[in-house]
Amino acid sequence: MSLIQIEEVSKVYGFGDATTVALDEVSLEIEKGEFIAVMGPSGSGKTTLMNILGLLDRPTHGVYKLNGKDVARLAKIKQAKTRRDQVGFIFQSFNLLPRLTVIENVALPLAYKHVSQTRRLKAAAQALEQVGLKDREYYLPTQLSGGQLQRAAIARALVNAPSIIIADEPTGNLDSVSARVVMELLSEIHKMGNTVLMVTHNPSLTRYASRILYMLDGNIVYDEATAIGEMPSRVQKAVNALRKSDDDEKLANVSAMMETMPDPSEPKEKKIEKKKKKPRKTKKTKRGKK
Ligand SMILES: Nc1ncnc2c1ncn2[C@@H]1O[C@H](COP(=O)(O)OP(=O)(O)O)[C@@H](O)[C@H]1O
Ligand SMILES: [Mg+2]
């Protein structure tokens, strides 16, 4: 049984003429222990997918099974409970509460459980030790650097021993040195057997992943397993292109690179199972929904 299984999941925002199809019948299976890097240009549906997988949001259509259990249409309160028990989130903006100390922030996911305060703080201290912040337990978030804040956020995501850790552009607000520390941590967490889903704009970070997804216009257009520590040649080329281009060109380059999509019949590229062949071009065509 897969840890995560979604089938033809769509997410439509808005009503009438002003609708956006953020996810367009996406199917995906994720096994326990994978480290998935999700790439794709802004607006391609990465955050929407993460929010649905992390039970922060629910699909408009489709099936979502987490640990074999149908969770797509849980009542709000059950959804929140499942999220607290099974998902750890790491955001680009860290999202620590400014008035709580670091250790209180990290203990927060346990506040909803029937766990004594002593045990909560003990678990939080352990998680902080794991991310190398033991000596910052009683600091306030404003007293930490960006890299330290993100490590605290990682400790918070771990404190519950969740089934999935979701990191949406976790290094987006960090300098390259802090980003590296955060990535090494995520990598360690992965090696301990955790399942990590990470959105990133930085192709070189895909080297930490065991599988790379690339999204475009609400679809997964590329899905490839990779050896950890390596980048598929296509991604490597994108990195090289990135080195010699300015920001605006960056994503265009990466997109263009990934759009020279693998032929689905090539044996090495796997797993894009769509019930009907989709046109390769990226422009969305209007499709009637049943
Ligand atoms: N709450 C929302 N309301 C309306 N449209 C949204 C909302 N969230 C996302 N979208 C739209 O859905 C599409 C996918 O967005 P998102 O998942 O945030 O993409 P990404 O994370 O890849 O940048 C975009 O067109 C975005 O404008
Ligand atoms: Mg996003």
Side-chain angles (χ1 to χ4, degrees):
M1 183 182 72
S2 302
L3 173 62
I4 285 172
Q5 186 182 11
I6 61 172
E7 274 166 37
E8 298 185 12
V9 159
S10 298
K11 180 71 187 183
V12 183
Y13 289 112
F15 300 96
D17 288 341
T19 56
T20 306
V21 181
L23 287 180
D24 187 8
E25 299 185 351
V26 171
S27 297
L28 177 67
E29 278 187 44
I30 297 172
E31 304 300 328
K32 187 177 178 321
E34 290 195 85
F35 186 151
I36 298 196
V38 183
M39 299 192 62
S42 283
S44 56
K46 305 180 298 295
T47 294
T48 303
L49 179 63
M50 291 304 115
N51 288 350
I52 287 175
L53 295 181
L55 299 168
L56 274 178
D57 205 348
R58 53 182 80 203
T60 314
H61 306 279
V63 175
Y64 177 13
K65 287 186 183 160
L66 176 59
N67 279 314
K69 201 174 151 228
D70 196 339
V71 292
R73 265 159 265 293
L74 286 180
K76 276 254 145 76
I77 190 151
K78 282 207 163 163
Q79 184 183 15
K81 185 181 181 314
T82 310
R83 180 173 68 238
R84 285 199 307 263
D85 290 344
Q86 311 235 24
V87 190
F89 276 101
I90 300 160
F91 300 95
Q92 179 171 10
S93 50
F94 321 129
N95 290 7
L96 298 179
L97 299 182
R99 284 182 217 286
L100 297 186
T101 60
V102 169
I103 194 166
E104 286 166 341
N105 266 288
V106 172
L108 217 48
L110 298 171
Y112 308 93
K113 293 191 162 179
H114 300 288
V115 180
S116 71
Q117 173 154 10
T118 326
R119 284 183 50 197
R120 289 205 297 267
L121 292 179
K122 206 172 155 200
Q126 246 168 34
L128 280 167
E129 182 161 19
Q130 199 178 340
V131 301
L133 282 183
K134 199 167 165 36
D135 56 342
R136 296 289 188 275
E137 286 178 358
Y138 294 99
Y139 283 51
L140 288 169
T142 47
Q143 298 171 300
L144 300 193
S145 70
Q148 289 170 333
L149 287 170
Q150 197 57 306
R151 277 149 65 198
I154 292 175
R156 183 187 53 190
L158 287 174
V159 76
N160 238 359
S163 313
I164 334 167
I165 291 153
I166 294 182
D168 195 346
E169 304 195 31
T171 63
N173 278 336
L174 301 179
D175 61 83
S176 60
V177 175
S178 306
R180 199 191 155 92
V181 173
V182 161
M183 285 312 302
E184 294 292 338
L185 255 177
L186 282 178
S187 177
E188 244 174 66
I189 288 161
H190 169 234
K191 284 176 191 152
M192 286 161 50
N194 288 294
T195 310
V196 181
L197 316 184
M198 176 187 73
V199 173
T200 181
H201 272 305
N202 185 344
S204 63
L205 300 187
T206 62
R207 74 174 73 246
Y208 294 94
S210 61
R211 179 174 168 192
I212 299 172
L213 304 180
Y214 192 84
M215 295 191 67
L216 212 54
D217 292 342
N219 292 287
I220 295 172
V221 293
Y222 172 92
D223 180 347
E224 185 177 344
T226 73
I228 291 173
E230 285 173 23
M231 273 187 274
S233 57
R234 212 177 345 268
V235 180
Q236 181 65 59
K237 279 189 212 153
V239 174
N240 294 341
L242 210 147
R243 285 212 178 95
K244 42 183 149 58
S245 64
D246 69 13
D247 272 28
D248 260 354
E249 268 173 74
K250 263 182 204 172
L251 287 172
N253 272 325
V254 177
S255 307
M257 197 61 66
M258 304 301 267
E259 268 181 79
T260 53
M261 254 186 13
D263 183 333
S265 60
E266 272 176 39
K268 226 181 91 193
E269 329 288 6
K270 57 162 204 178
K271 271 191 179 165
I272 298 180
E273 289 162 29
K274 283 268 167 183
K275 59 183 185 309
K276 42 193 180 273
K277 263 211 177 134
K278 293 223 165 167
R280 270 194 179 191
K281 55 178 184 288
T282 62
K283 236 173 60 196
K284 187 153 287 176
T285 45
K286 264 217 179 111
R287 302 165 57 188
K289 286 257 146 67
K290 300 134 261 177

mmCIF file of all heavy atoms in Angstrom, residues 96 101-107 121-139 144 148-156 158-159 185:
data_model
loop_
_atom_site.group_PDB
_atom_site.id
_atom_site.type_symbol
_atom_site.label_atom_id
_atom_site.label_comp_id
_atom_site.label_asym_id
_atom_site.label_seq_id
_atom_site.Cartn_x
_atom_site.Cartn_y
_atom_site.Cartn_z
ATOM 1 N N LEU A 96 6.803 30.926 12.498
ATOM 2 C CA LEU A 96 6.864 30.717 13.949
ATOM 3 C C LEU A 96 6.075 31.838 14.631
ATOM 4 O O LEU A 96 6.035 32.962 14.127
ATOM 5 C CB LEU A 96 8.311 30.751 14.444
ATOM 6 C CG LEU A 96 9.252 29.674 13.885
ATOM 7 C CD1 LEU A 96 10.644 29.849 14.448
ATOM 8 C CD2 LEU A 96 8.744 28.272 14.159
ATOM 9 N N THR A 101 8.507 31.383 22.814
ATOM 10 C CA THR A 101 9.918 31.017 22.691
ATOM 11 C C THR A 101 10.057 29.909 21.645
ATOM 12 O O THR A 101 9.067 29.295 21.231
ATOM 13 C CB THR A 101 10.474 30.469 24.027
ATOM 14 O OG1 THR A 101 9.709 29.307 24.371
ATOM 15 C CG2 THR A 101 10.377 31.501 25.136
ATOM 16 N N VAL A 102 11.288 29.684 21.266
ATOM 17 C CA VAL A 102 11.561 28.664 20.258
ATOM 18 C C VAL A 102 11.018 27.306 20.702
ATOM 19 O O VAL A 102 10.317 26.620 19.950
ATOM 20 C CB VAL A 102 13.080 28.597 19.989
ATOM 21 C CG1 VAL A 102 13.437 27.376 19.167
ATOM 22 C CG2 VAL A 102 13.531 29.865 19.273
ATOM 23 N N ILE A 103 11.293 26.956 21.946
ATOM 24 C CA ILE A 103 10.862 25.623 22.397
ATOM 25 C C ILE A 103 9.334 25.533 22.466
ATOM 26 O O ILE A 103 8.744 24.500 22.131
ATOM 27 C CB ILE A 103 11.533 25.238 23.741
ATOM 28 C CG1 ILE A 103 11.333 23.738 24.006
ATOM 29 C CG2 ILE A 103 11.020 26.085 24.901
ATOM 30 C CD1 ILE A 103 12.224 23.190 25.104
ATOM 31 N N GLU A 104 8.677 26.643 22.835
ATOM 32 C CA GLU A 104 7.201 26.629 22.853
ATOM 33 C C GLU A 104 6.641 26.485 21.445
ATOM 34 O O GLU A 104 5.659 25.777 21.225
ATOM 35 C CB GLU A 104 6.679 27.918 23.503
ATOM 36 C CG GLU A 104 6.856 27.940 25.015
ATOM 37 C CD GLU A 104 6.647 29.330 25.609
ATOM 38 O OE1 GLU A 104 6.722 30.347 24.872
ATOM 39 O OE2 GLU A 104 6.416 29.402 26.818
ATOM 40 N N ASN A 105 7.279 27.162 20.494
ATOM 41 C CA ASN A 105 6.863 27.018 19.099
ATOM 42 C C ASN A 105 6.977 25.568 18.630
ATOM 43 O O ASN A 105 6.079 25.044 17.988
ATOM 44 C CB ASN A 105 7.721 27.904 18.194
ATOM 45 C CG ASN A 105 7.083 29.248 17.925
ATOM 46 O OD1 ASN A 105 6.101 29.342 17.186
ATOM 47 N ND2 ASN A 105 7.631 30.297 18.526
ATOM 48 N N VAL A 106 8.098 24.963 18.987
ATOM 49 C CA VAL A 106 8.340 23.592 18.524
ATOM 50 C C VAL A 106 7.366 22.613 19.173
ATOM 51 O O VAL A 106 6.935 21.635 18.559
ATOM 52 C CB VAL A 106 9.815 23.195 18.792
ATOM 53 C CG1 VAL A 106 10.045 21.728 18.510
ATOM 54 C CG2 VAL A 106 10.746 24.068 17.948
ATOM 55 N N ALA A 107 6.970 22.917 20.421
ATOM 56 C CA ALA A 107 6.061 22.020 21.136
ATOM 57 C C ALA A 107 4.603 22.170 20.682
ATOM 58 O O ALA A 107 3.761 21.331 20.981
ATOM 59 C CB ALA A 107 6.158 22.281 22.634
ATOM 60 N N LEU A 121 7.482 19.573 26.271
ATOM 61 C CA LEU A 121 8.731 20.331 26.227
ATOM 62 C C LEU A 121 9.934 19.408 26.049
ATOM 63 O O LEU A 121 10.907 19.751 25.385
ATOM 64 C CB LEU A 121 8.876 21.196 27.487
ATOM 65 C CG LEU A 121 7.857 22.336 27.579
ATOM 66 C CD1 LEU A 121 8.031 23.132 28.857
ATOM 67 C CD2 LEU A 121 7.943 23.272 26.365
ATOM 68 N N LYS A 122 9.817 18.228 26.603
ATOM 69 C CA LYS A 122 10.910 17.265 26.457
ATOM 70 C C LYS A 122 11.044 16.848 24.983
ATOM 71 O O LYS A 122 12.153 16.803 24.424
ATOM 72 C CB LYS A 122 10.620 16.039 27.330
ATOM 73 C CG LYS A 122 11.884 15.325 27.726
ATOM 74 C CD LYS A 122 11.607 14.246 28.747
ATOM 75 C CE LYS A 122 12.706 13.192 28.644
ATOM 76 N NZ LYS A 122 12.313 11.922 29.218
ATOM 77 N N ALA A 123 9.904 16.572 24.377
ATOM 78 C CA ALA A 123 9.924 16.182 22.954
ATOM 79 C C ALA A 123 10.465 17.328 22.104
ATOM 80 O O ALA A 123 11.247 17.129 21.170
ATOM 81 C CB ALA A 123 8.512 15.793 22.505
ATOM 82 N N ALA A 124 10.047 18.559 22.445
ATOM 83 C CA ALA A 124 10.507 19.725 21.691
ATOM 84 C C ALA A 124 12.016 19.902 21.851
ATOM 85 O O ALA A 124 12.733 20.219 20.894
ATOM 86 C CB ALA A 124 9.766 20.977 22.150
ATOM 87 N N ALA A 125 12.507 19.686 23.090
ATOM 88 C CA ALA A 125 13.947 19.828 23.327
ATOM 89 C C ALA A 125 14.719 18.811 22.498
ATOM 90 O O ALA A 125 15.776 19.110 21.929
ATOM 91 C CB ALA A 125 14.238 19.646 24.811
ATOM 92 N N GLN A 126 14.166 17.618 22.413
ATOM 93 C CA GLN A 126 14.815 16.575 21.612
ATOM 94 C C GLN A 126 14.879 16.968 20.139
ATOM 95 O O GLN A 126 15.912 16.825 19.485
ATOM 96 C CB GLN A 126 14.021 15.278 21.736
ATOM 97 C CG GLN A 126 14.778 14.168 22.436
ATOM 98 C CD GLN A 126 13.846 13.024 22.773
ATOM 99 O OE1 GLN A 126 12.903 12.732 22.022
ATOM 100 N NE2 GLN A 126 14.080 12.388 23.907
ATOM 101 N N ALA A 127 13.736 17.474 19.636
ATOM 102 C CA ALA A 127 13.685 17.876 18.225
ATOM 103 C C ALA A 127 14.673 19.016 17.966
ATOM 104 O O ALA A 127 15.341 19.064 16.930
ATOM 105 C CB ALA A 127 12.270 18.284 17.844
ATOM 106 N N LEU A 128 14.789 19.940 18.937
ATOM 107 C CA LEU A 128 15.714 21.065 18.779
ATOM 108 C C LEU A 128 17.164 20.591 18.791
ATOM 109 O O LEU A 128 18.010 21.116 18.070
ATOM 110 C CB LEU A 128 15.477 22.116 19.865
ATOM 111 C CG LEU A 128 14.294 23.035 19.570
ATOM 112 C CD1 LEU A 128 13.916 23.838 20.794
ATOM 113 C CD2 LEU A 128 14.612 23.969 18.402
ATOM 114 N N GLU A 129 17.411 19.586 19.579
ATOM 115 C CA GLU A 129 18.757 19.035 19.599
ATOM 116 C C GLU A 129 19.087 18.423 18.235
ATOM 117 O O GLU A 129 20.177 18.606 17.691
ATOM 118 C CB GLU A 129 18.866 17.975 20.699
ATOM 119 C CG GLU A 129 20.265 17.417 20.794
ATOM 120 C CD GLU A 129 20.543 16.740 22.122
ATOM 121 O OE1 GLU A 129 19.566 16.379 22.813
ATOM 122 O OE2 GLU A 129 21.725 16.577 22.439
ATOM 123 N N GLN A 130 18.094 17.745 17.693
ATOM 124 C CA GLN A 130 18.283 17.104 16.388
ATOM 125 C C GLN A 130 18.661 18.106 15.295
ATOM 126 O O GLN A 130 19.402 17.784 14.377
ATOM 127 C CB GLN A 130 16.976 16.384 16.034
ATOM 128 C CG GLN A 130 17.131 15.325 14.984
ATOM 129 C CD GLN A 130 15.800 14.635 14.725
ATOM 130 O OE1 GLN A 130 14.868 14.677 15.537
ATOM 131 N NE2 GLN A 130 15.691 14.008 13.569
ATOM 132 N N VAL A 131 18.126 19.326 15.391
ATOM 133 C CA VAL A 131 18.433 20.319 14.353
ATOM 134 C C VAL A 131 19.564 21.263 14.786
ATOM 135 O O VAL A 131 19.833 22.273 14.140
ATOM 136 C CB VAL A 131 17.190 21.151 13.957
ATOM 137 C CG1 VAL A 131 16.070 20.259 13.447
ATOM 138 C CG2 VAL A 131 16.697 22.000 15.131
ATOM 139 N N GLY A 132 20.195 20.934 15.900
ATOM 140 C CA GLY A 132 21.369 21.705 16.324
ATOM 141 C C GLY A 132 21.043 23.047 16.966
ATOM 142 O O GLY A 132 21.822 23.987 16.895
ATOM 143 N N LEU A 133 19.869 23.147 17.601
ATOM 144 C CA LEU A 133 19.474 24.424 18.212
ATOM 145 C C LEU A 133 19.235 24.311 19.719
ATOM 146 O O LEU A 133 18.490 25.094 20.285
ATOM 147 C CB LEU A 133 18.195 24.953 17.553
ATOM 148 C CG LEU A 133 18.311 25.625 16.194
ATOM 149 C CD1 LEU A 133 16.951 26.147 15.762
ATOM 150 C CD2 LEU A 133 19.320 26.763 16.231
ATOM 151 N N LYS A 134 19.872 23.357 20.328
ATOM 152 C CA LYS A 134 19.626 23.125 21.746
ATOM 153 C C LYS A 134 19.884 24.387 22.580
ATOM 154 O O LYS A 134 19.155 24.688 23.519
ATOM 155 C CB LYS A 134 20.517 21.983 22.227
ATOM 156 C CG LYS A 134 20.021 21.383 23.523
ATOM 157 C CD LYS A 134 20.697 20.083 23.831
ATOM 158 C CE LYS A 134 20.481 19.668 25.269
ATOM 159 N NZ LYS A 134 19.158 20.005 25.817
ATOM 160 N N ASP A 135 20.892 25.149 22.187
ATOM 161 C CA ASP A 135 21.243 26.340 22.979
ATOM 162 C C ASP A 135 20.366 27.551 22.663
ATOM 163 O O ASP A 135 20.616 28.643 23.151
ATOM 164 C CB ASP A 135 22.717 26.688 22.749
ATOM 165 C CG ASP A 135 23.028 26.883 21.280
ATOM 166 O OD1 ASP A 135 22.215 26.416 20.439
ATOM 167 O OD2 ASP A 135 24.052 27.502 20.955
ATOM 168 N N ARG A 136 19.329 27.363 21.865
ATOM 169 C CA ARG A 136 18.446 28.493 21.537
ATOM 170 C C ARG A 136 17.023 28.283 22.037
ATOM 171 O O ARG A 136 16.120 29.029 21.671
ATOM 172 C CB ARG A 136 18.407 28.715 20.014
ATOM 173 C CG ARG A 136 19.728 29.133 19.390
ATOM 174 C CD ARG A 136 20.075 30.571 19.779
ATOM 175 N NE ARG A 136 21.239 31.070 19.065
ATOM 176 C CZ ARG A 136 22.497 30.874 19.446
ATOM 177 N NH1 ARG A 136 22.757 30.157 20.524
ATOM 178 N NH2 ARG A 136 23.505 31.374 18.739
ATOM 179 N N GLU A 137 16.827 27.272 22.867
ATOM 180 C CA GLU A 137 15.475 26.893 23.291
ATOM 181 C C GLU A 137 14.637 28.060 23.792
ATOM 182 O O GLU A 137 13.469 28.190 23.464
ATOM 183 C CB GLU A 137 15.560 25.857 24.415
ATOM 184 C CG GLU A 137 15.962 24.490 23.933
ATOM 185 C CD GLU A 137 16.082 23.491 25.080
ATOM 186 O OE1 GLU A 137 15.899 23.869 26.252
ATOM 187 O OE2 GLU A 137 16.367 22.328 24.784
ATOM 188 N N TYR A 138 15.250 28.929 24.614
ATOM 189 C CA TYR A 138 14.458 29.979 25.266
ATOM 190 C C TYR A 138 14.614 31.339 24.601
ATOM 191 O O TYR A 138 14.221 32.356 25.140
ATOM 192 C CB TYR A 138 14.755 29.999 26.767
ATOM 193 C CG TYR A 138 14.253 28.715 27.381
ATOM 194 C CD1 TYR A 138 15.120 27.655 27.644
ATOM 195 C CD2 TYR A 138 12.891 28.523 27.582
ATOM 196 C CE1 TYR A 138 14.631 26.446 28.129
ATOM 197 C CE2 TYR A 138 12.399 27.323 28.067
ATOM 198 C CZ TYR A 138 13.276 26.290 28.341
ATOM 199 O OH TYR A 138 12.783 25.088 28.801
ATOM 200 N N TYR A 139 15.163 31.348 23.399
ATOM 201 C CA TYR A 139 15.199 32.579 22.614
ATOM 202 C C TYR A 139 13.818 32.830 22.015
ATOM 203 O O TYR A 139 13.006 31.916 21.883
ATOM 204 C CB TYR A 139 16.209 32.454 21.481
ATOM 205 C CG TYR A 139 17.652 32.602 21.891
ATOM 206 C CD1 TYR A 139 18.193 31.862 22.937
ATOM 207 C CD2 TYR A 139 18.482 33.473 21.208
ATOM 208 C CE1 TYR A 139 19.520 31.990 23.304
ATOM 209 C CE2 TYR A 139 19.829 33.617 21.561
ATOM 210 C CZ TYR A 139 20.331 32.869 22.619
ATOM 211 O OH TYR A 139 21.649 33.000 22.961
ATOM 212 N N LEU A 144 16.645 35.001 16.373
ATOM 213 C CA LEU A 144 17.325 33.989 15.564
ATOM 214 C C LEU A 144 17.561 34.488 14.140
ATOM 215 O O LEU A 144 16.838 35.347 13.638
ATOM 216 C CB LEU A 144 16.480 32.708 15.476
ATOM 217 C CG LEU A 144 16.118 31.965 16.754
ATOM 218 C CD1 LEU A 144 15.574 30.584 16.404
ATOM 219 C CD2 LEU A 144 17.306 31.827 17.687
ATOM 220 N N GLN A 148 18.437 29.711 11.357
ATOM 221 C CA GLN A 148 18.048 29.126 12.646
ATOM 222 C C GLN A 148 16.529 29.011 12.743
ATOM 223 O O GLN A 148 16.003 28.019 13.257
ATOM 224 C CB GLN A 148 18.587 29.976 13.795
ATOM 225 C CG GLN A 148 20.104 29.872 13.937
ATOM 226 C CD GLN A 148 20.659 30.907 14.910
ATOM 227 O OE1 GLN A 148 20.067 31.975 15.107
ATOM 228 N NE2 GLN A 148 21.792 30.590 15.518
ATOM 229 N N LEU A 149 15.825 30.039 12.229
ATOM 230 C CA LEU A 149 14.358 29.984 12.252
ATOM 231 C C LEU A 149 13.858 28.778 11.466
ATOM 232 O O LEU A 149 12.945 28.073 11.898
ATOM 233 C CB LEU A 149 13.769 31.266 11.640
ATOM 234 C CG LEU A 149 13.870 32.528 12.493
ATOM 235 C CD1 LEU A 149 13.482 33.749 11.674
ATOM 236 C CD2 LEU A 149 12.980 32.403 13.724
ATOM 237 N N GLN A 150 14.473 28.551 10.310
ATOM 238 C CA GLN A 150 14.006 27.427 9.506
ATOM 239 C C GLN A 150 14.345 26.100 10.183
ATOM 240 O O GLN A 150 13.578 25.145 10.087
ATOM 241 C CB GLN A 150 14.573 27.502 8.075
ATOM 242 C CG GLN A 150 13.853 26.637 7.060
ATOM 243 C CD GLN A 150 12.365 26.923 6.953
ATOM 244 O OE1 GLN A 150 11.632 26.894 7.948
ATOM 245 N NE2 GLN A 150 11.898 27.193 5.750
ATOM 246 N N ARG A 151 15.477 26.052 10.881
ATOM 247 C CA ARG A 151 15.793 24.816 11.611
ATOM 248 C C ARG A 151 14.783 24.598 12.738
ATOM 249 O O ARG A 151 14.357 23.456 12.986
ATOM 250 C CB ARG A 151 17.222 24.865 12.142
ATOM 251 C CG ARG A 151 18.209 24.439 11.057
ATOM 252 C CD ARG A 151 19.537 25.121 11.187
ATOM 253 N NE ARG A 151 20.242 24.758 12.398
ATOM 254 C CZ ARG A 151 21.257 25.463 12.914
ATOM 255 N NH1 ARG A 151 21.652 26.577 12.310
ATOM 256 N NH2 ARG A 151 21.869 25.063 13.993
ATOM 257 N N ALA A 152 14.393 25.682 13.403
ATOM 258 C CA ALA A 152 13.356 25.557 14.435
ATOM 259 C C ALA A 152 12.053 25.064 13.813
ATOM 260 O O ALA A 152 11.359 24.212 14.381
ATOM 261 C CB ALA A 152 13.137 26.898 15.131
ATOM 262 N N ALA A 153 11.746 25.582 12.632
ATOM 263 C CA ALA A 153 10.515 25.151 11.950
ATOM 264 C C ALA A 153 10.602 23.668 11.577
ATOM 265 O O ALA A 153 9.597 22.953 11.611
ATOM 266 C CB ALA A 153 10.270 25.998 10.702
ATOM 267 N N ILE A 154 11.785 23.221 11.242
ATOM 268 C CA ILE A 154 11.959 21.798 10.937
ATOM 269 C C ILE A 154 11.749 20.968 12.207
ATOM 270 O O ILE A 154 11.079 19.936 12.189
ATOM 271 C CB ILE A 154 13.352 21.535 10.323
ATOM 272 C CG1 ILE A 154 13.429 22.165 8.930
ATOM 273 C CG2 ILE A 154 13.638 20.038 10.248
ATOM 274 C CD1 ILE A 154 14.799 22.083 8.280
ATOM 275 N N ALA A 155 12.284 21.464 13.326
ATOM 276 C CA ALA A 155 12.073 20.766 14.596
ATOM 277 C C ALA A 155 10.578 20.677 14.902
ATOM 278 O O ALA A 155 10.077 19.640 15.326
ATOM 279 C CB ALA A 155 12.809 21.483 15.724
ATOM 280 N N ARG A 156 9.871 21.773 14.654
ATOM 281 C CA ARG A 156 8.422 21.778 14.890
ATOM 282 C C ARG A 156 7.724 20.757 13.986
ATOM 283 O O ARG A 156 6.794 20.071 14.408
ATOM 284 C CB ARG A 156 7.861 23.186 14.639
ATOM 285 C CG ARG A 156 6.371 23.302 14.919
ATOM 286 C CD ARG A 156 5.819 24.650 14.514
ATOM 287 N NE ARG A 156 6.166 24.952 13.127
ATOM 288 C CZ ARG A 156 5.997 26.124 12.551
ATOM 289 N NH1 ARG A 156 5.464 27.115 13.232
ATOM 290 N NH2 ARG A 156 6.348 26.314 11.293
ATOM 291 N N LEU A 158 8.938 18.047 12.951
ATOM 292 C CA LEU A 158 9.329 16.679 13.321
ATOM 293 C C LEU A 158 8.743 16.216 14.650
ATOM 294 O O LEU A 158 8.672 15.021 14.913
ATOM 295 C CB LEU A 158 10.852 16.608 13.467
ATOM 296 C CG LEU A 158 11.689 16.650 12.208
ATOM 297 C CD1 LEU A 158 13.159 16.706 12.592
ATOM 298 C CD2 LEU A 158 11.400 15.433 11.352
ATOM 299 N N VAL A 159 8.329 17.165 15.479
ATOM 300 C CA VAL A 159 8.084 16.857 16.878
ATOM 301 C C VAL A 159 6.973 15.823 17.072
ATOM 302 O O VAL A 159 6.960 15.056 18.011
ATOM 303 C CB VAL A 159 7.790 18.156 17.683
ATOM 304 C CG1 VAL A 159 6.387 18.671 17.435
ATOM 305 C CG2 VAL A 159 8.057 17.947 19.159
ATOM 306 N N LEU A 185 19.926 18.946 6.638
ATOM 307 C CA LEU A 185 19.022 18.466 7.678
ATOM 308 C C LEU A 185 17.875 17.653 7.094
ATOM 309 O O LEU A 185 17.553 16.567 7.581
ATOM 310 C CB LEU A 185 18.420 19.660 8.408
ATOM 311 C CG LEU A 185 18.939 19.967 9.788
ATOM 312 C CD1 LEU A 185 18.261 21.226 10.291
ATOM 313 C CD2 LEU A 185 18.692 18.805 10.738
#
